[in-house]
Amino acid sequence: MPTLTQSNRKNIFDIQIKVNGIIIDSWSGLTYMARVDSARVISFVAHGHMPMECLQLGSIIEIRAGIGIHTPTSELLHFKGVIKNIKPSFDKVGVTAIDYI
């Protein structure tokens, strides 16, 4: 397990969410699930009116976590998949995505 130091602790939660190349700025409640012989699943809630316009079923989503941490791989998490489920509300959208398997 890598050791966290003062210099790299600030970057451990740097998470970037892109949908069709557009960055989602306001989000919360990110969950990640992975199982053997199954697709990885990511769920989160996007806030504001801009995500409602760009989030569509089948859109390509890319999530990178741990940007800036120097590990043998470039990030701690790199997820690329498609949006499977959308739950719109007045000012937020619940999103569930699966990766390519």
Side-chain angles (χ1 to χ4, degrees):
M1 173 180 241
T3 304
L4 296 178
T5 62
Q6 186 65 28
S7 63
N8 67 4
R9 188 180 308 155
K10 63 180 177 165
N11 293 325
I12 193 164
F13 296 115
D14 285 349
I15 299 174
Q16 181 184 61
I17 300 175
K18 285 185 181 181
V19 177
N20 290 335
I22 300 170
I23 295 176
I24 304 297
D25 291 329
S26 181
W27 56 269
S28 65
L30 182 72
T31 60
Y32 173 81
M33 185 175 57
R35 284 189 246 158
V36 175
D37 294 333
S38 181
R40 296 182 297 169
V41 178
I42 284 190
S43 299
F44 66 95
V45 176
H47 300 275
H49 295 289
M50 189 275 297
M52 290 185 181
E53 297 171 0
C54 68
L55 292 171
Q56 301 173 356
L57 292 176
S59 296
I60 297 173
I61 186 167
E62 188 170 2
I63 300 175
R64 294 177 182 264
I67 300 168
I69 295 177
H70 301 291
T71 60
T73 58
S74 59
E75 297 100 19
L76 295 179
L77 170 70
H78 182 207
F79 176 90
K80 187 170 184 179
V82 295
I83 295 177
K84 173 185 168 186
N85 192 3
I86 295 177
K87 296 178 185 173
S89 178
F90 177 70
D91 62 345
K92 60 186 177 181
V93 179
V95 178
T96 303
I98 59 173
D99 70 347
Y100 302 110
I101 186 166

